[in-house]
Amino acid sequence: MEHVPPPAEELALLDRELTQLDARRAQLLTRRAWLVSALQPQAPNAPRWSTPPVGHGWAPGQPWGSAPRTAKPSGPPRSAQNVLLTLGGLLLTVAAVAFTLVSWGSMGIGGRSAVLALVTLAALAAPVVLLRRKLAATAEALAALALVLTLLDAYAVHAVAAPDADGLTFTAVASAVLAALWTAYGLALGKLHLPLPAAVFFVQWPLLLGAWAAGAPAIVVGWALLATAVLDGAIALWGKGLGVRVTAGVGLAVMGSAALLTGLAESLTADGPLGAVLPGTLLLTAAVAALAGAWRAPNGYAQLGGVVAGLAAVAAVGGVLRAAVPGAWHVPVYLLCGLALLSVVRTPLPRSAGRGALAAAGAVVAGALLWAVPPVAAVLLGPVELVAEVWAGAPDGFRGALGESMRWSETAAAPVVLAVVAGLLRAAYRWWPSLVRVAAPLGTPGAAARGAAGAGALALGWGTLLLAAATLGVPYPVAVALETVLVAGLLLVAVRGAERGAGDAGTAEAEAEGAGAGAAGGGRSAVAVTALVGAVGGAVSVGLLSLAAEAATYAVFGALVVLFAGAALRTRAVVEQAVCAVAAVVWGTVLTGCAARSLELAPHEAAPLLLVAPAVTVLLGARLRLHPVALPVELTGALGALVAVGLSAQEAPFLALVLALCGVLAAGAAVRPERRPAAGYVAAALFVAATWVRLAASEVSAPEAYTLPVTVPALVVGVLRRRKDSEASSWTAYGPALAATLLPSLAVAWTDPDWLRPLLLGVAALVITLLGAKFRLQALLLLGGAVLALDTLHELAPYVVQVAGALPRWLPPALAGLLLLAAGATYEQRLREARKLKDLLGRMR
């Protein structure tokens, strides 16, 4: 226990501590007073400060606030001053607005003009005096008030002096006058931050509102927007002050975007090439202005200017050419204009502006691909509809197999777009070192860029051929053969890429130096991956397409099995081997399903035939042994076996047969030591399941006649095993034998209305539970206890239901709530007991 002093002694201790605190506080206050006086400006004849005062300047018995007074700051804190000025300016503004809107009608025209003029002039003149007295914050607040008053003056002039004037015209003129006024005012009082940004804000409206008031056409409004944006750009580049530049930048973004959108809309809706010339001129002017600004802007803004200039130029030139070609060819026209931007690598543009122009070219190409790629997806996924009508007959041409939802006339130019982009990427991939040297002034592309170019060229080339075949409407056999050949080609590229670690780059690229050689490796890897993914996707597509005709189905899936199996044997890369081998197993499983359909077998009758592919995978696993591909192949075969089990589920005899055959396959896999731990248990479970399904199909009502002859010898074997190895688990020795009898008997007992079977089962489960508790055998304790609990629940269920029906309906929820409360209140104790039980079970064998 801690010592507690008497009250008198404790009071003396507290007094001493308070005295020490007073002394220390007095010293700090004295030091602070000296520092403040030393920092204040000295009078001409005042003595300069010297040695700081010595001592604490404190007398005993003085209260806390009796320390020497310190010099106070000349004014309130800056934040408090800003709050006061802001509130004062707001109150004055509200008063001015209330006067103008409410009290205006009670005065004559002279009084109105005189009051507003005097107040405005006073608000404009006051900051001059305040700045001379170095009261910048107060001057800024009055300048804000003057800004509001000038707006009220403009409103008053329109309401009284020119009530018949057009609102838009008057607003345009007033904006111009206010812009000039605040520009002059801001330049005259350079220390104020508000006038010049306000002038920039007013500059945004004269041209736009003037064109709108004059009823000018949209193209004239676009020119007004562009002129305003150019002025904003000049202010953003050469203006002084952050507020001016930010305001001008916002105006440039808004007005420039509006001008570009106006020109683009007019270009897209032009009736012919001549009609698109004026919008094109507007867009070209915007491009020149953006490029001129990019020469002087910082790097990030210069790159943005290059992007805007490139896109505007493409829209201008492409809009004129677009009007001269049919509607299906509009996108290729813009694509060619976008590709023409790539010539900026040869121009002396600044580095950032050139990168921006290249980004604009990339955006145009990406937009064209977004238009051309969806038809390719439709070609690949269109044959999904044939699944519902397998072998209904060969359709009339490739288009007939893809459905009638596609508008092929509108996508006639899509293959051209894909071919152009694919050819460009292929050229970049092939002559990469030369491209790196040419593009060096704008930056050196990395290795990933070459890989992306090669992969993109391969994918787009594949899509070009598929979409061209669909667009031309080739016959159905030609389409099937073409897709199969494309799959073979993609597999060849994937295998070669996996073997060499690179694509077919050529001797010149193999001897390339530095970045070129490093890029080659990255490109080859990306090309190989793309080829493998494309091969799998193309195989799925052509497989679906072949479902229209029986002969085509066998031919295609047979070819796919051969191609993917050959690729798996040919390549040495593990991932490629695994993917190809798994795909070959899948196609083989589909072939067995097709054979069952040709034999006109019902689904449950076809299930045993589907086990051919899993059997082959077990044999392959035995042949491959520890090879990394063995496990994926066997797992794929297991999935095929699951499909067979699902097909046979409706007929119990066939389900028992399929389960038994699956057990045989699992037992065959369990022969191998590396598969024995998992496959052995699976085989045992499958055999047991097959047995009981067969017994259930035969309507056996006394399963004990079949289980006890198995259980007794199995228990004898378990006892002998435990004698030889006392550390053997009880689950291994006794678990299978006990489960073979207890579980089936429990299942039958739950549907048995008689009392004898549940009684005998309960007695047996009780004996087993007691033996498990006595000899500390986990399998006996848990199996016997679980069966005993379920058997007891089955016997007591009718009485529980009867009692529950007689109880009030509120009682079960109340009891459940109390139980939860009790469990929560004793949670820690229950948790400790659960851990003890877990440890106890864990120590059992």
Side-chain angles (χ1 to χ4, degrees):
M1 296 178 63
E2 297 181 358
H3 171 68
V4 179
E9 183 180 352
E10 185 178 3
L11 180 61
L13 290 174
L14 292 178
D15 288 338
R16 282 197 296 270
E17 291 179 2
L18 290 173
T19 301
Q20 294 174 0
L21 289 174
D22 287 341
R24 181 58 180 164
R25 181 175 184 275
Q27 291 176 2
L28 295 176
L29 290 174
T30 303
R31 178 65 178 174
R32 182 179 183 278
W34 177 83
L35 291 173
V36 172
S37 63
L39 292 174
Q40 287 182 346
Q42 300 289 328
N45 298 326
R48 295 181 59 82
W49 57 270
S50 58
T51 309
V54 181
H56 49 70
W58 159 82
Q62 285 183 342
W64 280 99
S66 63
R69 295 184 180 179
T70 58
K72 296 182 179 179
S74 59
R78 189 74 175 176
S79 58
Q81 182 185 22
N82 292 336
V83 171
L84 294 175
L85 292 174
T86 302
L87 291 176
L90 287 176
L91 291 176
L92 289 175
T93 303
V94 171
V97 173
F99 169 77
T100 304
L101 298 179
V102 178
S103 301
W104 186 258
S106 62
M107 302 178 64
I109 185 63
R112 302 169 186 174
S113 303
V115 170
L116 274 180
L118 289 176
V119 174
T120 304
L121 289 176
L124 290 172
V128 179
V129 180
L130 293 173
L131 288 176
R132 290 177 182 175
R133 296 179 177 274
K134 298 182 179 180
L135 299 175
T138 309
E140 204 75 53
L142 289 178
L145 176 62
L147 175 62
V148 177
L149 289 174
T150 54
L151 293 175
L152 295 176
D153 288 337
Y155 167 75
V157 170
H158 180 265
V160 177
D164 298 330
D166 180 64
L168 289 176
T169 304
F170 183 85
T171 305
V173 175
S175 299
V177 173
L178 290 175
L181 171 66
W182 284 99
T183 300
Y185 190 76
L187 293 176
L189 301 178
K191 294 183 178 180
L192 293 179
H193 298 86
L194 180 63
L196 289 180
V200 175
F201 173 78
F202 288 126
V203 163
Q204 311 301 315
W205 309 110
L207 292 178
L208 174 61
L209 296 180
W212 194 359
I219 191 67
V220 177
V221 176
W223 280 105
L225 291 169
L226 179 60
T228 306
V230 171
L231 180 59
D232 287 331
I235 296 173
L237 287 175
W238 291 292
K240 295 181 179 180
L242 180 62
V244 173
R245 291 195 298 271
V246 170
T247 307
V250 174
L252 171 63
V254 175
M255 296 298 177
S257 301
L260 292 174
L261 291 176
T262 302
L264 180 62
E266 291 294 309
S267 177
L268 292 176
T269 57
D271 296 333
L274 293 178
V277 171
L278 287 179
T281 305
L282 173 64
L283 292 171
L284 278 179
T285 305
V288 172
L291 197 59
W295 281 87
R296 297 184 59 87
N299 289 336
Y301 296 102
Q303 190 167 351
L304 180 60
V307 172
V308 173
L311 293 177
V314 170
V317 179
V320 176
L321 299 178
R322 177 203 64 84
V325 299
W329 296 90
H330 289 174
V331 175
V333 166
Y334 284 107
L335 175 63
L336 294 178
C337 294
L339 294 178
L341 285 179
L342 297 176
S343 60
V344 298
V345 298
R346 293 288 189 178
T347 59
L349 284 176
R351 185 185 184 94
S352 297
R355 286 183 174 181
L358 289 180
V364 174
V365 173
L369 290 179
L370 286 177
W371 174 79
V373 168
V376 178
V379 172
L380 290 173
L381 300 178
V384 172
E385 299 179 356
L386 297 176
V387 175
E389 299 179 359
V390 177
W391 297 351
D396 186 14
F398 193 9
R399 294 184 184 179
L402 301 177
E404 302 296 334
S405 60
M406 285 293 298
R407 298 180 180 179
W408 299 104
S409 59
E410 298 179 3
T411 60
V416 177
V417 172
L418 295 176
V420 170
V421 179
L424 183 68
L425 293 176
R426 172 59 184 167
Y429 179 76
R430 180 66 180 84
W431 291 288
W432 187 258
S434 302
L435 179 62
V436 170
R437 287 192 295 269
V438 171
L442 299 181
T444 302
R450 185 177 190 267
L458 181 64
L460 294 178
W462 172 49
T464 299
L465 294 176
L466 289 179
L467 189 56
T471 304
L472 296 175
V474 299
Y476 174 75
V478 176
V480 173
L482 175 63
E483 288 205 44
T484 306
V485 170
L486 288 177
V487 171
L490 291 172
L491 281 176
L492 181 61
V493 173
V495 170
R496 287 185 175 180
E499 286 180 349
R500 303 175 183 177
D504 51 350
T507 307
E509 293 177 23
E511 297 175 355
E513 58 181 3
R524 291 173 181 127
S525 176
V527 171
V529 171
T530 304
L532 184 60
V533 173
V536 175
V540 173
S541 178
V542 71
L544 294 173
L545 183 64
S546 68
L547 295 178
E550 183 176 4
T553 302
Y554 282 106
V556 167
F557 280 103
L560 292 178
V561 171
V562 173
L563 290 173
F564 279 89
L569 294 175
R570 184 70 176 83
T571 185
R572 292 295 178 267
V574 175
V575 175
E576 284 78 1
Q577 272 190 337
V579 172
C580 292
V582 166
V585 172
V586 173
W587 312 141
T589 305
V590 174
L591 268 181
T592 57
C594 294
R597 184 176 178 83
S598 298
L599 296 174
E600 299 181 354
L601 299 177
H604 61 275
E605 296 174 339
L609 188 59
L610 289 180
L611 296 178
V612 173
V616 173
T617 61
V618 172
L619 296 177
L620 284 176
R623 178 71 175 84
L624 296 173
R625 291 188 176 275
L626 298 178
H627 195 281
V629 178
L631 182 60
V633 169
E634 292 179 84
L635 291 178
T636 307
L639 292 177
L642 287 178
V643 173
V645 171
L647 291 176
S648 63
Q650 296 181 352
E651 294 291 335
F654 280 91
L655 177 60
L657 174 61
V658 171
L659 290 174
L661 293 176
C662 291
V664 171
L665 296 178
V671 174
R672 298 156 50 198
E674 67 275 8
R675 297 286 183 264
R676 188 170 301 154
Y681 289 110
V682 172
L686 288 172
F687 281 131
V688 172
T691 302
W692 291 114
V693 170
R694 179 66 259 182
L695 292 177
S698 302
E699 299 181 355
V700 174
S701 60
E704 293 82 5
Y706 299 89
T707 58
L708 289 176
V710 176
T711 299
V712 173
L715 287 175
V716 174
V717 173
V719 171
L720 296 177
R721 169 72 184 276
R722 289 274 296 175
R723 286 183 178 179
K724 291 184 178 180
D725 183 10
S726 59
E727 297 298 324
S729 172
S730 61
W731 289 102
T732 304
Y734 308 121
L738 293 176
T741 294
L742 292 178
L743 298 181
S745 298
L746 178 64
V748 176
W750 269 72
T751 59
D752 190 354
D754 200 2
W755 58 272
L756 182 59
R757 185 190 303 276
L759 176 61
L760 295 177
L761 178 62
V763 171
L766 177 61
V767 172
I768 293 173
T769 304
L770 295 176
L771 290 175
K774 179 179 180 180
F775 294 104
R776 304 179 63 82
L777 298 176
Q778 190 181 95
L780 276 68
L781 179 63
L782 295 182
L783 272 176
V787 172
L788 179 61
L790 293 174
D791 186 65
T792 305
L793 177 62
H794 171 263
E795 293 303 308
L796 295 178
Y799 304 101
V800 173
V801 172
Q802 184 177 0
V803 172
L807 292 176
R809 296 196 174 185
W810 57 266
L811 188 57
L815 293 176
L818 290 175
L819 180 62
L820 292 176
L821 289 176
T826 59
Y827 175 75
E828 295 294 336
Q829 180 63 27
R830 302 288 83 77
L831 187 61
R832 286 192 293 269
E833 292 175 355
R835 288 173 178 169
K836 290 180 181 179
L837 179 60
K838 178 184 175 182
D839 296 338
L840 179 62
L841 291 175
R843 288 193 295 269
M844 293 183 178
R845 300 304 302 172

